[in-house]
Amino acid sequence: MEQTNYPQNTDSDSGITSSSNPQKENKKIIAGILGILFGSLGIHKFILGYNKEGLIMLLVSILTCGLGSAIMGPIGLIEGIIYLTKSDEDFYYTYQVNHKGWF
């Protein structure tokens, strides 16, 4: 089993340690669905704040008159599936905190 080392918050009153709440900014579902449906346009990258990567995907698809979509589409599909299969906490720390741009 893979062990992750994420920041922990300690409740000073009870002494209980819990993981920080990644729910407040988690864009996992919307990024995953957009990656699957519109992956070749890079919209899922823009949602996550990866403007450079999103622009690369968009320009490759448009400037090649759609031929680049044959490459960018499967990349978006794979990324969308990866996003949706990660746990909420893993997704948050991998893509929103650590800013992993590709896969």
Side-chain angles (χ1 to χ4, degrees):
M1 177 175 259
E2 185 178 325
Q3 185 176 6
T4 57
N5 296 320
Y6 298 124
Q8 302 277 318
N9 290 337
T10 303
D11 186 356
S12 58
D13 294 335
S14 65
I16 298 173
T17 303
S18 64
S19 295
S20 60
N21 186 5
Q23 297 298 327
K24 63 181 177 181
E25 289 186 50
N26 202 336
K27 301 173 183 176
K28 173 182 150 179
I29 302 295
I30 189 70
I33 291 171
L34 288 174
I36 291 170
L37 296 177
F38 304 109
S40 62
L41 299 176
I43 296 171
H44 61 291
K45 297 288 190 183
F46 290 112
I47 293 293
L48 293 173
Y50 301 139
N51 294 331
K52 184 175 93 174
E53 291 88 347
L55 194 59
I56 289 170
M57 293 183 81
L58 181 63
L59 289 176
V60 166
S61 295
I62 291 174
L63 294 178
T64 60
C65 298
L67 295 176
S69 295
I71 296 169
M72 293 298 132
I75 290 173
L77 176 68
I78 291 167
E79 286 180 335
I81 292 170
I82 290 171
Y83 294 167
L84 293 174
T85 57
K86 283 193 172 287
S87 71
D88 290 345
E89 190 173 86
D90 283 342
F91 176 84
Y92 179 77
Y93 286 106
T94 302
Y95 297 105
Q96 291 183 250
V97 174
N98 295 327
H99 299 289
K100 182 180 177 186
W102 298 99
F103 293 104

